[in-house]
Amino acid sequence: MSRIREAFTHGKAFIPFITAGYPDLQTTREVVRAAQEGGADLIELGIPFSDPTAEGPVIQTANVIALQGGITTDKVLDFVKDLREKQGITVPLVFMTYANVVYSYGKGGAEAFLSRARDAGIDGLILADVPFEEKEEFDPLCREAGIDLISMIAPTSEERIRMIAESSTGFLYVVSSLGVTGVRSEIRTDIGTITEKIRSFTDTPCAVGFGISTPEMARKMAEVSDGAIVGSAIIKLIAESGKDAAPRVGAYVKAMKDAIRDL
Amino acid sequence: MADERGRFGVFGGQYIPETLMNAVNELEEAYTHFRKDPDFIRELEQLYREVANRPSRLYYAKKMTEDLGGAKIYLKREDLNFTGAHKINNVLGQALLAKKMGKTRLIAETGAGQHGVATATAAAMFGMECVVFMGKVDTERQALNVYKMRLLGTKVVPVTSGTATLKDAVSEAFREWTNRIADTHYCLGSVMGPHPFPTIVRDFQSVISREIKSQMLEKEGRLPDAVYACVGGGSNAIGSFYHFIDDPSVQLIGCEAAGRGVDTFETAATISTGKLGIFHGMKSLFCQNEYGQIAPVYSISAGLDYPGIGPEHANLHALGRARYIPVTDEQAVQAFEYTSRMEGIIPAIESSHAIYAGMEDAKKMSRDKVIVITVSGRGDKDCAAVARYRGEDISL
């Protein structure tokens, strides 16, 4: 069983998203540790991109600040290696970024990026701007590196669900709503129907993200899926508390995991 | 030509979030149907004639030709189109297509504001709601076009993210489309973005080269030796080139915005300084750093101030079929002033990049050669910026 699949064997999974290097790598290190201690089953680490077209204002700002602080892909790769070797981070780690960060990685492109990511201890990769039609560009390289390329399913996917689900690896990222990332007051999509359809084609676990911020919303989403993903709400906590964000993020992760663990 | 997955050689593709995939598939399906639908073709031709004021003139620039002393220079007058630029060709096509698809709302990005004004105009005509995204920096340097769009009933959203210019307006338009798909068509303004946009926009703009070809045969009884057009994303250029691609005797020259020079960081010359990458839905050439972060670009021209280039151009470059040359702010301003003085035509600062390159080449060519330069738009919108460039403040 891949490490990512294993992450879904401790009750419903809670998956926090953290932008690497926001506001600096020292803070990210403490936040990742707090998230693992709080019970995160898997952590998505965002590699900042200059033009994150699938993100709302909160994560856009985190990307800008991280890049202004001098973060680079190489620094993030070294950071992950350190997490694994010296910081006791054992939870599965998945990179979330954009195609060009991987494709145009200056020291050898996607192949070199993926082999370095694997060596650092990364388990999976999510590329927000690579749909099913373009995944052949990355999927064989990911398989070779032993990294799961995570696919997304959106409320608009409809009859596309089958082909995406049938070729999925790791887990499936179910996008809860139309639009970009960001906190929403409610989620109106009928997620249950989507996950039911997914389950008729694959046993790959599916976690729901986009717009989730409260334990109640996480419960509602986890009831009909295998887990909940939270990004903007966590980045907001980091925005508010800056370098002292780790304890708040840790407590938040614990509250969220507690809310969904035994569903 | 693009293959069925929207590739021009290795360039193109559909690098977009899953949420938008059904929308682009629906668009492709509709376009595949309507491009061959006799009613659609008839309606579009009527719009070109009655609204856009087509065919646009192929004007013999006699004074310029005599003054420069070389090749005979013709100007393709897209600046005389309704709304003042080539942008209307694409917008009328896409708005008609959107209407046939049952869409009631158009969104668009704009750089200089020409595409925004064209889209706002079509929306007013077709009775559609319209929202235009424009970099905040551009709303300031093109305030007149912002006012025009509002006058036409369009909501203009100033975009403050990133460099607050054209690329950020494109990003924001994509974000908005992800948010609201069912009733909304994204009326993309250039031959860029995910398939099928580069093909759709190219087809609607190819009317330019179709007309040049027949007008040139009528006036000179032959094909031109070279065609010049400015390139940001590349829509007026691909429109000017398209029907000559299979005529090897016709040189195709795209003129990129070099800003303060291709050896500076203040440039937008993608072919000269960019690398292969993936951004805004397409694989193409982009100005970027060693980590694939998109570089801030600069040009005096808001319409060419974009870090990428359409995939079909990237392919024409790779094949060696078209040549792309950088033209600086200073050179474009010189051409802007020269054309105004010599021919009484005030060209857009974007088009002035192509005029400069055409002028330089014409001087070196013999008198029996004939070249065509596409004047993609009119320059009223640029007078204040050029005056400022020359140290004069004419803001009212």
Side-chain angles (χ1 to χ4, degrees), chain A residues 28-165:
Chain A
T28 308
R29 185 177 300 122
E30 289 161 16
V31 167
V32 167
R33 205 185 290 126
Q36 175 172 291
E37 282 161 14
D41 295 290
L42 184 154
I43 295 173
E44 284 180 15
L45 271 182
I47 306 180
F49 181 50
S50 52
D51 300 82
T53 48
E55 314 295 350
V58 172
I59 298 179
Q60 278 181 50
T61 304
N63 277 263
V64 170
I65 291 174
L67 288 170
Q68 280 170 353
I71 201 79
T72 65
T73 306
D74 281 332
K75 285 183 186 170
V76 177
L77 287 163
D78 292 342
F79 170 76
V80 171
K81 205 172 163 69
D82 179 69
L83 288 180
R84 288 291 192 222
E85 289 175 357
K86 296 187 182 143
Q87 307 297 328
I89 299 301
T90 53
V91 66
L93 295 172
V94 169
F95 273 150
M96 180 154 187
T97 189
Y98 288 78
N100 205 44
V101 169
V102 175
Y103 183 79
S104 296
Y105 176 62
K107 294 172 181 160
E111 203 172 346
F113 171 88
L114 289 163
S115 109
R116 283 208 62 196
R118 176 72 257 185
D119 291 347
I122 284 292
D123 300 286
L125 175 68
I126 305 171
L127 296 173
D129 54 350
V130 175
F132 178 83
E133 280 72 2
E134 303 294 352
K135 74 181 239 182
E136 263 314 291
E137 182 130 29
F138 298 95
D139 204 30
L141 296 172
C142 285
R143 284 174 197 273
E144 206 173 300
I147 286 177
D148 287 329
L149 184 63
I150 313 292
S151 297
M152 300 177 109
I153 284 176
T156 49
S157 294
E158 297 169 3
E159 66 290 355
R160 297 170 50 78
I161 291 177
R162 180 174 192 157
M163 63 183 188
I164 298 170

Side-chain angles (χ1 to χ4, degrees), chain B residues 43-363:
Chain B
E43 282 174 67
L44 183 60
E45 275 171 4
Q46 192 181 352
L47 288 168
Y48 277 174
R49 205 170 48 241
E50 308 287 334
V51 177
N53 199 26
R54 302 207 72 88
S56 70
R57 302 290 149 182
L58 186 68
Y59 169 83
Y60 171 44
K62 188 160 180 282
K63 277 184 73 198
M64 279 173 71
T65 301
E66 284 167 2
D67 183 58
L68 296 167
K72 202 166 177 182
I73 300 172
Y74 280 90
L75 302 177
K76 179 62 173 165
R77 300 289 308 273
E78 293 297 300
D79 59 314
L80 295 180
N81 294 345
F82 182 48
T83 71
H86 71 289
K87 293 292 187 187
I88 194 75
N89 306 331
N90 167 46
V91 164
L92 289 173
Q94 284 200 50
L96 182 63
L97 182 61
K99 197 162 182 182
K100 300 265 180 198
M101 290 172 73
K103 306 286 180 183
T104 55
R105 180 173 177 260
L106 297 176
I107 57 170
E109 84 294 343
T110 197
Q114 295 303 107
H115 176 59
V117 168
T119 309
T121 302
M125 265 176 52
F126 285 102
M128 297 167 97
E129 194 187 331
C130 184
V131 181
V132 171
F133 296 87
M134 188 169 186
K136 187 151 189 306
V137 170
D138 294 337
T139 61
E140 286 155 10
R141 55 181 170 177
Q142 299 291 350
L144 178 61
N145 276 340
V146 175
Y147 181 76
K148 280 189 195 166
M149 287 185 268
R150 292 192 172 133
L151 192 62
L152 291 160
T154 280
K155 183 178 165 202
V156 180
V157 180
V159 177
T160 54
S161 60
T163 49
T165 58
L166 179 54
K167 99 178 147 74
D168 310 289
V170 174
S171 295
E172 211 50 43
F174 272 116
R175 290 186 183 111
E176 172 58 21
W177 202 24
T178 315
N179 195 38
R180 190 166 158 186
I181 298 169
D183 66 347
T184 299
H185 173 69
Y186 178 13
C187 185
L188 226 165
S190 194
V191 284
M192 47 159 293
H195 174 69
F197 283 108
T199 298
I200 291 180
V201 179
R202 189 270 320 275
D203 288 352
F204 290 144
Q205 291 294 1
S206 68
V207 64
I208 302 174
S209 50
R210 196 167 71 220
E211 289 176 5
I212 294 175
K213 203 167 198 173
S214 67
Q215 289 165 327
M216 188 51 82
L217 288 171
E218 193 183 302
K219 286 173 192 287
E220 295 284 334
R222 53 170 291 201
L223 296 178
D225 295 292
V227 177
Y228 295 79
C230 63
V231 181
S235 71
N236 93 83
I238 210 75
S240 303
F241 296 171
Y242 185 65
H243 288 284
F244 296 112
I245 290 176
D246 294 329
D247 297 313
S249 71
V250 182
Q251 284 191 60
L252 306 174
I253 293 124
C255 307
E256 297 193 299
R260 299 205 165 90
V262 290
D263 49 355
T264 73
F265 287 108
E266 291 173 294
T267 180
T270 310
I271 296 264
S272 304
T273 67
K275 282 187 310 182
L276 188 61
I278 296 169
F279 183 50
H280 278 161
M282 57 184 172
K283 180 180 284 184
S284 191
L285 298 166
F286 297 96
C287 300
Q288 54 182 312
N289 76 7
E290 62 189 303
Y291 291 109
Q293 305 291 347
I294 302 303
V297 289
Y298 163 81
S299 162
I300 189 174
S301 136
L304 304 181
D305 199 355
Y306 183 72
I309 187 167
E312 193 164 8
H313 283 295
N315 194 41
L316 290 174
H317 169 69
L319 296 172
R321 177 60 191 97
R323 200 153 56 82
Y324 295 85
I325 53 172
V327 176
T328 64
D329 285 0
E330 172 61 30
Q331 293 167 334
V333 167
Q334 282 174 23
F336 178 91
E337 293 167 339
Y338 178 82
T339 313
S340 303
R341 207 166 54 235
M342 292 300 289
E343 296 292 347
I345 295 168
I346 304 174
I349 192 67
E350 288 79 13
S351 323
S352 302
H353 288 72
I355 296 172
Y356 180 85
M359 284 163 53
E360 286 302 298
D361 283 359
K363 284 184 210 166

